[in-house]
Amino acid sequence: MVLGGASLGKLRTHDARVLLAAAQEAGITRIDTAPGYGDSENTIGEILKGKETFTVNTKVGVPGSTGLSPQLITRSVDESLRRLRVASIGTLFVHSLSKENLTDENIEAMEKLKVLGKVQKIGYSGDGDDLKGAVGKSAFDDFMLTFNIIDQSNSDAMADIQDLEGIYFKVSMAQAIWTSHKLQSRVSSIQYMRKIFRKPPLPESWLDYKMRFSKFKSSFLSKKYSEEFLRFALDYNGGQQFVVLGTNSPQHIRDAALIEASESSKAGLDHYLSLWDTLSARSWQPHN
């Protein structure tokens, strides 16, 4: 598993330190963050202080924007390295930008950063047709994509990725739409995340997921939904991919580690793959 760093941007340093300690105890060795995740990069840098406790991945570009250039890429990486206080970034992901931004000049700029040792790998984070466009570029080492029981639309693009160990699943818990929190509480949380990603404040993705879950709910093998969602993400592709766990709770990390250590379930995997084929609609698009 990989610790998602978005929540670190809104935690006090003490609480973030406790969260990273729990992640380390659980055997997590990677963190996924981005310059747009609030104060996440600074917080990680302050806690780690250059120690190689974790491999830290970060991103370049602002989701939804059209501005990406070699100069922006270079400047963004230098600023991330300064904030994170690391000598090298693990994987530098293009952050959910359209495939039109994946120009030869931009890719060459990222490859140059690899040669200079500022980044170890380059990757693309995104979904749908943009993901397919990135997969068609031989330069990318890693891919981050939305994938969970009720959102399997990226499976076609994933089938063309040669190195399964270079895949990162995001939104694997489907925004936890099965929880008993009041709607207003969930809406508030999603609005915060959408503000980070500079999207309109309406939580249409959460409402869409809630609709999908209601359609799938009666066919779940267990009412322990968090375990079902995480087990599915961990078991897909024979478990070779990374699963990003976004949380601000040390207990969630410990619980997830127990699920990861438990026996895989091919029967469960096959059940949910079949369920998607039966219940999903062609109009359903992946949500980030």
Side-chain angles (χ1 to χ4, degrees):
M1 288 187 298
V2 177
L3 179 64
S7 62
L8 293 169
K10 55 181 179 179
L11 290 179
R12 294 177 300 175
T13 301
H14 169 74
D15 295 331
R17 195 183 303 277
V18 171
L19 191 72
L20 291 185
Q24 186 176 4
E25 290 173 8
I28 293 174
T29 60
R30 294 174 188 253
I31 303 173
D32 172 71
T33 188
Y37 290 170
D39 208 33
S40 178
E41 287 189 332
N42 275 321
T43 299
I44 292 169
E46 171 64 24
I47 295 172
L48 299 186
K49 296 186 185 300
K51 298 178 182 177
E52 298 182 357
T53 310
F54 297 92
T55 296
V56 184
N57 301 337
T58 194
K59 303 180 181 74
V60 63
V62 178
S65 72
T66 57
L68 191 66
S69 67
Q71 295 78 15
L72 187 152
I73 291 168
T74 301
R75 182 171 65 252
S76 179
V77 167
D78 285 341
E79 291 173 352
S80 288
L81 288 170
R82 175 182 56 80
R83 289 189 290 264
L84 290 168
R85 304 187 195 183
V86 295
S88 180
I89 291 163
T91 299
L92 176 70
F93 287 100
V94 176
H95 199 177
S96 300
L97 299 182
S98 69
K99 58 187 176 183
E100 284 72 29
N101 287 278
L102 307 180
T103 63
D104 291 343
E105 293 77 13
N106 287 337
I107 291 175
E108 286 171 7
M110 290 186 284
E111 289 181 323
K112 182 179 179 180
L113 293 170
K114 285 177 65 176
V115 173
L116 293 173
K118 293 186 177 183
V119 304
Q120 298 166 28
K121 296 181 178 182
I122 61 174
Y124 178 79
S125 174
D127 303 294
D129 289 339
D130 293 322
L131 173 63
K132 292 178 181 178
V135 172
K137 303 280 186 179
S138 60
F140 289 114
D141 303 297
D142 294 345
F143 299 91
M144 185 178 295
L145 52 99
T146 297
F147 203 75
N148 60 64
I149 290 174
I150 60 174
D151 198 342
Q152 300 179 39
S153 300
N154 283 321
S155 57
D156 289 344
M158 205 184 332
D160 293 327
I161 298 175
Q162 300 299 314
D163 183 8
L164 300 182
E165 294 181 357
I167 295 174
Y168 288 71
F169 283 172
K170 58 187 174 77
V171 201
S172 58
M173 305 302 284
Q175 299 178 342
I177 41 76
W178 61 85
T179 60
S180 59
H181 296 300
K182 292 181 180 179
L183 175 62
Q184 187 57 46
S185 174
R186 293 295 301 148
V187 167
S188 176
S189 174
I190 296 302
Q191 285 177 333
Y192 174 81
M193 294 303 298
R194 295 186 69 78
K195 183 178 180 181
I196 286 179
F197 289 114
R198 301 188 181 184
K199 292 184 176 182
L202 294 176
E204 67 271 11
S205 63
W206 185 81
L207 295 174
D208 181 50
Y209 265 8
K210 190 170 179 62
M211 176 276 294
R212 297 189 195 187
F213 179 70
S214 66
K215 197 171 181 180
F216 278 64
K217 185 176 180 181
S218 64
S219 299
F220 266 76
L221 298 176
S222 165
K223 291 186 178 180
K224 295 180 179 180
Y225 301 119
S226 60
E227 294 184 18
E228 295 293 295
F229 272 86
L230 185 54
R231 187 72 267 165
F232 173 81
L234 291 167
D235 287 348
Y236 197 84
N237 280 337
Q240 297 183 66
Q241 71 285 332
F242 292 103
V243 176
V244 180
L245 180 68
T247 183
N248 59 9
S249 166
Q251 188 58 49
H252 287 172
I253 292 175
R254 289 188 282 270
D255 291 343
L258 290 175
I259 295 170
E260 184 177 33
S262 66
E263 186 176 354
S264 62
S265 174
K266 185 177 185 306
L269 176 66
D270 290 342
H271 172 74
Y272 291 121
L273 292 174
S274 176
L275 204 59
W276 172 263
D277 290 338
T278 303
L279 299 180
S280 65
R282 291 194 177 207
S283 60
W284 289 3
Q285 297 298 313
H287 289 299
N288 61 29

